[in-house]
Amino acid sequence: EVLVYPLPYDLTFLRTLEAADEHPDWEPNWTDKEKGIIHLQNTRYSSFADADKRSMALLVRRENLEESSVRLAPESQTVLGGGDVLKLIKAALSEEASLR
């Protein structure tokens, strides 16, 4: 799923980071604003066998002068919990867009 909103890139990046940080199982690990990457780490993984499922990356992009988008990186689209994080982001960005 690609979330597209009529918001500037900087604001989209900030609200995405804040929303992702609200999830109890995921926390921001590192970000690269210039490349539009927010890397999240799962703090409640169940075993060492799921080591590849402990992280995910969000991609924030400027679509045009008036819109920005957020999506899961291709390698993160099968990570359990990705949909829940996107729901939080969708709610936060929808609220922000309604204020404009």
Side-chain angles (χ1 to χ4, degrees), residues 3 7-9 14 20 23 36 38 41 50-53 57 59 62 74-75 80 85-86 88-89:
L3 308 176
L7 297 169
Y9 174 80
L14 175 64
H23 196 287
I38 298 173
Q41 191 73 29
D50 64 356
D52 60 328
K53 304 295 184 191
L59 304 177
R62 181 184 327 268
E75 67 275 8
L80 294 175
V85 173
L86 280 180
L88 288 171
I89 294 166

Side-chain angles (χ1 to χ4, degrees), residues 33-71:
K33 188 175 170 212
E34 297 300 317
K35 293 181 180 178
I37 301 171
I38 298 173
H39 190 268
L40 304 175
Q41 191 73 29
N42 187 324
T43 58
R44 294 189 189 187
Y45 51 86
S46 57
S47 73
F48 290 110
D50 64 356
D52 60 328
K53 304 295 184 191
R54 294 185 204 165
S55 64
M56 77 170 83
L58 299 167
L59 304 177
V60 182
R61 300 285 182 254
R62 181 184 327 268
E63 295 298 318
N64 55 52
L65 290 176
E66 299 174 3
E67 294 180 320
S68 296
S69 67
V70 179
R71 66 185 54 121

